[in-house]
Amino acid sequence: MNTGITNVNFDYYKYFFGLDSYGNTVITRYGKLPLLETEEQKESWNSTLEELSNKIKDPLASKYMYPQGEVVTCGTNEKGYFVILFKYGNVDEPLMDEIYVLIDNSAKEMKINDIPVEFGYGTYRQEITLNSEQGIYYWFGENMDNLSESDIHIIQEIMKEKPTTPVQKNSCSIWKNSSSKRPE
C-alpha cells in the first residue's frame, strides 16, 4: 500500500461506471503498475482494466456502490491504475482492503497479479433523472429519505452505467482555469 494524499487532474481519468467526477484526491494506492512503454501496451492494458471492471461491476455495485455504499466511480487513470472513487467522507483502511481483495481476486482469475488500484475521493455535482416525464430528479448526495424503493433502484442501475460528461463539466474546467470569474 502506497499512502499519501495528492490532488490530481480529473482530465486524466476515464470512468467505466458510476458518476463522472469533476476532480479527486488520492487516498492511497495498492499493487504494482505494469511497465507500459508503447501506446499499444497502454491501450491493451486499458482494455484489460475495462474487462476487469465488467467482471467486478455487479459484486461491487451490490455491496459497495452508492447508495448502498461509499463507492461512486470506477475507472482508470493515465498511469494505468484501476481507480475507485468514494464520495467525500470517512473511508477506512479495512473498507479499502476489502474492496482491493475483491478486485485482486477477479484480476488473478484473469492472470493479473498485484493489480494496481488507486483509491480516492471524487468531487460530484450531478442531477440524476428518476422520471423525465414527471420531471422528477435527484441531486447526488441529497437526503434519500423521501425516495421510493423504485427511485433508489433507478439510482442503483444508473450507478452501473458508463457516465456521460455533463456539459457543466466542460464549463467548470474553463472556470477553474480562468480567474475567479464565471464564463459567460
Side-chain angles (χ1 to χ4, degrees):
M1 185 164 87
N2 176 13
T3 59
I5 298 177
T6 53
N7 289 322
V8 292
N9 184 337
F10 65 83
D11 292 330
Y12 297 108
Y13 287 76
K14 174 185 171 195
Y15 304 118
F16 299 133
F17 58 90
L19 299 182
D20 196 6
S21 175
Y22 288 87
N24 65 326
T25 300
V26 175
I27 300 169
T28 191
R29 293 180 174 125
Y30 290 60
K32 183 179 177 192
L33 281 172
L35 187 58
L36 304 170
E37 295 176 334
T38 67
E39 284 304 312
E40 187 176 272
Q41 289 171 327
K42 289 176 185 178
E43 286 177 27
S44 176
W45 179 246
N46 284 335
S47 292
T48 300
L49 293 180
E50 190 158 12
E51 183 182 335
L52 176 60
S53 79
N54 289 328
K55 193 174 176 99
I56 66 158
K57 183 186 295 186
D58 287 333
L60 186 73
S62 68
K63 185 173 181 182
Y64 302 105
M65 286 288 288
Y66 183 83
Q68 295 90 285
E70 301 297 314
V71 174
V72 182
T73 304
C74 175
T76 185
N77 67 20
E78 73 171 353
K79 292 179 182 179
Y81 281 96
F82 193 85
V83 175
I84 298 292
L85 296 179
F86 299 100
K87 68 179 190 172
Y88 192 79
N90 294 324
V91 176
D92 58 18
E93 194 173 321
L95 175 62
M96 291 184 290
D97 291 346
E98 192 175 321
I99 294 171
Y100 183 78
V101 167
L102 168 75
I103 297 167
D104 193 46
N105 287 341
S106 293
K108 285 177 183 170
E109 291 173 11
M110 297 171 62
K111 309 278 189 263
I112 302 167
N113 291 317
D114 209 15
I115 185 79
V117 178
E118 176 182 284
F119 290 96
Y121 295 112
T123 303
Y124 303 95
R125 174 99 177 115
Q126 188 158 340
E127 184 179 64
I128 298 171
T129 303
L130 299 176
N131 186 322
S132 59
E133 291 175 9
Q134 295 179 5
I136 301 172
Y137 302 92
Y138 168 77
W139 278 97
F140 172 78
E142 285 185 344
N143 188 319
M144 297 181 76
D145 292 344
N146 294 329
L147 296 179
S148 68
E149 248 182 71
S150 66
D151 289 342
I152 291 171
H153 179 72
I154 290 169
I155 294 169
Q156 291 168 336
E157 291 305 308
I158 287 171
M159 295 304 289
K160 291 195 263 182
E161 295 174 7
K162 186 175 182 93
T164 55
T165 304
V167 175
Q168 317 88 286
K169 182 172 181 179
N170 294 330
S171 43
C172 178
S173 74
I174 293 168
W175 187 26
K176 280 174 40 177
N177 293 330
S178 65
S179 65
S180 60
K181 286 185 176 177
R182 187 168 183 190
E184 296 177 18

